[in-house]
Structures are given as C-alpha cells and as structure tokens.
Amino acid sequence: MAASAGLVPRAEPEEMTTETPGQDGGVARPPTRVKPNLDAFGYVGIDAVLEQMRRKAMKQGFEFNIMVVGQSGLGKSTLVNTLFKSPVSRKSCTPNHEEKIPKTVEIKSVSHVIEEKGVKMKLTVIDTPGFGDQINNNNCWEPVLKYINDQYEKYLAEEVNITRKKVIPDSRVHCCIYFIPATGHSLRLLDIEFMKRLGKVVNIVPVIAKSDTLTLEERQAFKKKIREQLETQGISIYPHKEHDEDEEDRSVNNKIRELMPFAVVGSDKDYLVNGRKTLGRKTKWGIIEIENVAHCEFSQLRELLIRSHTQDLKEVTSCVHYEGYRVLRLSEGGKDVASVNGLAGKEQLA
Ligand SMILES: Nc1nc2c(ncn2[C@@H]2O[C@H](COP(=O)(O)OP(=O)(O)OP(=O)(O)O)[C@@H](O)[C@H]2O)c(=O)[nH]1
Ligand SMILES: [Mg+2]
C-alpha cells in the first residue's frame, strides 16, 4: 500500500501546562492553555487520499472495452482500425496498403495497451459480424446480447468465487457503438428493436455510419429525426439523463445529447494534407479528413469514449447494467439468465 508519509500534517492535541507548586509552598495556579496551531487544525489533509487513489489506479491500470454493432458493410471494422490508428493508440501508421478489410464473420476482439504519462489503459474493441443480410432478421440481436451477458456471467462467477482474484479481469462491454445506416430518412424497425434490447443491458452510443454520403443539411435533419425517434420509442442511450449527478454533469451531457448521434466517417489510410499525414478518405472531390471536426464527428466520439467519459461509462456499466444482471441472476437462482437478459419480446422483422 502506498504510504503518504509527509503528506498529512498531523493535528497535535491541545497542550495543557500546569505549574507545579514551588518549593516555597506557593499556591498552584490553574493550567494555562497553549495557543493551538490553527493551521494544523484547519488542514487535516484528507485531500491526500486523491494522490493515493491516483497512484493505486496508475499501478493497476484501466481496462476499457468497446463493442461495435450494426448492419453488415456499414464500416464497423474500418472504424475499429480508425480508432487504433488515430493518435489514441500512438500506433505508428503503416504505409498505405491496398488490402481490403474482410467481412467480419465472427465476434472478434482486438486489444491494445495505451500508455500516456504513466497511465496504462488496455483498450479492447470487440468487432461483431454485421446483421441484416438475411431475409429473416428475427432475433439477429441474440449473438450480441449473449456475448454481453456472457461477460457479466464471467465477472459474477469470479466475484462469488471463494478464492477470488484481488482484481477481477473486466471483460464487460463498457460501451456499444451502434451503427445507423445513413439513409437520411428515419430509423428502421430493425434498428429500433435492436437498440431497445441493447439499451437495457449496455451503454449505447449511436453513430451515423458513412456520414460522408449525406450533405450537411441532410445530416442535421437526420440527426434531429433520430433523436426524436429515440425519445418516442423510449430507447435509452448514453449519457442517460437519469444518471446526471449534478447541474455541471447535466450541462456537459446536454451538449453531448444535442450532438447525438455522431456522424462518423472511418478510414485506416493516411494521406498528406498540407504536408501533414492525416487519416482520410480520398474521393474524386478531395480528401475527407477523419479527425477534422469540420468534416465529421469522429473526434467527438473518440473524445467521449477515451477522454471525457471513460470512467463514467465503466461506472454505469458496473452499477447499473451489471448490477441489473447480478440481481436477476442471483434472485433467479440456477436459471439461465445469460440467455434471457434483455431478450424479452421476440418481434417479427423482415
Ligand atoms: N464512404 C464510406 N465508406 C466506408 C466508410 N467506412 C467504411 N467504408 C467502406 O465500407 C466497406 C465496408 O467496410 P467494413 O468496415 O468492412 O464494414 P463492416 O461494418 O465491418 O462490415 P461487416 O464485417 O460485413 O459487418 C469498405 O469498403 C470500407 O472501405 C465511411 O465512413 N464512408
Ligand atoms: Mg466487419
């Protein structure tokens, strides 16, 4: 345990002095108070606990798991690469290679340890196969929900173990990025049903995929329409209004909620723009710069995930979603909760 020696000035108890009766038989005077050191009393030093927590957290490191979900071909695997290639991972960009990202056929996770100013973060992105290829898309959310619930089950099994580990490995999905196709119209029934179920078990951050296919006006109108639909359909997306802790939280999160869903563009290729290597998509009309806020909202998405809301996403996962699973699982005894949590109501979807 890290000791905080020297950090906490200790408050000395008030000293009392008594004068012993003199040899001359004089009368003992009442004890006089020594003036206490007010500085020491005013400052106990409990703020040092922050330093202790910081040091502990730095030693332990952070685990953060993001999942990408959405219809096939919307650029999920590309965005995973974008995230790892952008400065978040400090992974050196390899020269442009022409090989194409293959279609994802199974749930696969990619991890990368990022270290910055002595803080280590193990960032894992879980890539999922796209759905919606089938004529019948009934219950296409099942494999995704099963994966999420399986991670809760794993964590719970470790937690209730008699000889449990000091730090339980955390493979729980802290954030699920849901890809909405840039149709410019409205959410499809499939997206609504999928997000309704996901929202009950995980933090969802919706994004408009391939938003380079929309004009700026179309983008704004589409975003507004989606926000309205999410509200009327009662779909709970992150950051949740009911979990804003104070006025400051509310004002920060309101700004994020007004921006949602982020209109993103993905790419794993670099181009030279004004002499600077930049992640971008080259089109006949110019280069779309992925990290330029005037071009798309990838940077805002990355900021939310990796910079401003990482700890909150982890806390909501643990205190709300995992807690919900844990209560259900422990109150249901031996029942197979992992395959039912969030799966109530099977709809007919074409
Ligand atoms: N215009 C445009 N094309 C994109 C974007 N992101 C990816 N693509 C292209 O879309 C195609 C499919 O991308 P993937 O990343 O494989 O899509 P996916 O969602 O992983 O697909 P599945 O693995 O089948 O689920 C590729 O040709 C990408 O180059 C984007 O932001 N804009
Ligand atoms: Mg893929």
Side-chain angles (χ1 to χ4, degrees):
M1 197 181 286
S4 59
L7 288 173
V8 192
R10 224 177 306 145
E12 300 296 337
E14 253 183 29
E15 273 179 37
M16 307 281 265
T17 55
T18 43
E19 266 180 39
T20 41
Q23 293 297 317
D24 57 354
V27 186
R29 270 181 279 153
T32 50
R33 279 173 186 274
V34 172
K35 201 169 175 260
N37 179 351
L38 282 181
D39 261 2
F41 270 108
Y43 176 69
V44 181
I46 48 171
D47 57 343
V49 78
L50 289 179
E51 175 60 17
Q52 295 165 38
M53 284 161 80
R54 193 184 69 87
R55 276 200 246 167
K56 261 229 138 92
M58 274 174 73
K59 270 189 206 155
Q60 224 169 59
F62 297 87
E63 282 176 289
F64 190 57
N65 310 315
I66 302 171
M67 187 183 218
V68 290
V69 172
Q71 194 184 317
S72 183
L74 288 185
K76 299 181 295 298
S77 305
T78 308
L79 201 86
V80 172
N81 284 6
T82 314
L83 200 62
F84 280 119
K85 273 209 154 188
S86 72
V88 68
S89 69
R90 306 259 180 262
K91 202 175 175 186
S92 64
C93 294
T94 46
N96 288 349
H97 47 86
E98 291 310 316
E99 71 217 45
K100 217 179 152 295
I101 295 173
K103 185 179 162 83
T104 314
V105 289
E106 56 180 2
I107 295 184
K108 222 162 64 180
S109 62
V110 196
S111 294
H112 196 69
V113 177
I114 304 163
E115 194 168 349
E116 214 171 51
K117 291 189 185 164
V119 181
K120 271 197 206 125
M121 177 159 91
K122 185 175 165 213
L123 175 65
T124 302
V125 183
I126 304 127
D127 196 359
T128 62
F131 57 79
D133 284 348
Q134 275 71 37
I135 294 176
N136 181 350
N137 289 311
N138 278 353
N139 308 326
C140 57
W141 40 78
E142 274 183 7
V144 171
L145 289 179
K146 182 170 184 316
Y147 182 91
I148 295 169
N149 286 329
D150 282 351
Q151 309 318 306
Y152 291 151
E153 183 60 33
K154 247 193 218 172
Y155 197 88
L156 181 65
E158 197 57 58
E159 219 175 35
V160 296
N161 210 343
I162 295 176
T163 51
R164 64 179 174 186
K165 296 183 179 114
K166 196 171 158 217
V167 180
I168 301 174
D170 192 359
S171 62
R172 296 171 297 182
V173 178
H174 300 122
C175 178
C176 176
I177 307 177
Y178 188 87
F179 286 62
I180 299 166
T183 59
H185 301 304
S186 55
L187 287 174
R188 303 164 308 165
L189 182 58
L190 182 56
D191 297 317
I192 292 172
E193 289 302 329
F194 210 128
M195 282 197 275
K196 259 190 190 168
R197 283 162 176 78
L198 268 181
K200 291 187 184 129
V201 296
V202 75
N203 293 320
I204 319 177
V205 171
V207 297
I208 300 175
K210 299 189 178 181
S211 63
D212 49 319
T213 55
L214 297 173
T215 67
L216 288 180
E217 291 78 27
E218 284 166 349
R219 203 195 265 187
Q220 286 317 320
F222 191 36
K223 277 175 156 224
K224 188 162 172 276
K225 176 84 190 163
I226 293 173
R227 282 197 298 269
E228 283 165 8
Q229 273 187 297
L230 290 171
E231 178 102 34
T232 50
Q233 293 291 337
I235 296 172
S236 167
I237 61 163
Y238 183 85
H240 312 98
K241 273 189 190 142
E242 63 271 29
H243 298 141
D244 290 343
E245 275 171 13
D246 49 28
E247 209 38 62
E248 189 193 350
D249 250 20
R250 197 162 306 121
S251 107
V252 170
N253 289 344
N254 275 344
K255 282 195 193 115
I256 295 171
R257 285 188 276 263
E258 277 161 26
L259 259 184
M260 292 260 192
F262 295 112
V264 297
V265 178
S267 171
D268 59 353
K269 299 207 166 48
D270 315 298
Y271 296 94
L272 271 184
V273 179
N274 300 329
R276 221 166 31 89
K277 224 160 131 193
T278 310
L279 271 172
R281 291 192 79 80
K282 193 174 179 189
T283 70
K284 219 172 170 181
W285 305 273
I287 290 170
I288 304 162
E289 296 166 40
I290 307 297
E291 294 170 85
N292 185 339
V293 285
H295 292 200
C296 81
E297 291 162 354
F298 170 78
S299 301
Q300 280 109 318
L301 171 70
R302 185 183 55 194
E303 168 100 13
L304 174 86
L305 300 177
I306 316 287
R307 194 176 270 179
S308 61
H309 284 62
T310 320
Q311 189 54 28
D312 189 59
L313 279 159
K314 289 187 67 153
E315 267 173 39
V316 176
T317 302
S318 188
C319 304
V320 179
H321 301 302
Y322 170 67
E323 190 59 17
Y325 180 87
R326 197 184 67 86
V327 169
L328 190 66
R329 171 72 168 68
L330 296 181
S331 57
E332 293 288 319
K335 277 199 194 152
D336 183 13
V337 173
S339 57
V340 296
N341 188 31
L343 281 167
K346 301 192 175 188
E347 307 284 324
Q348 290 291 311
L349 296 170

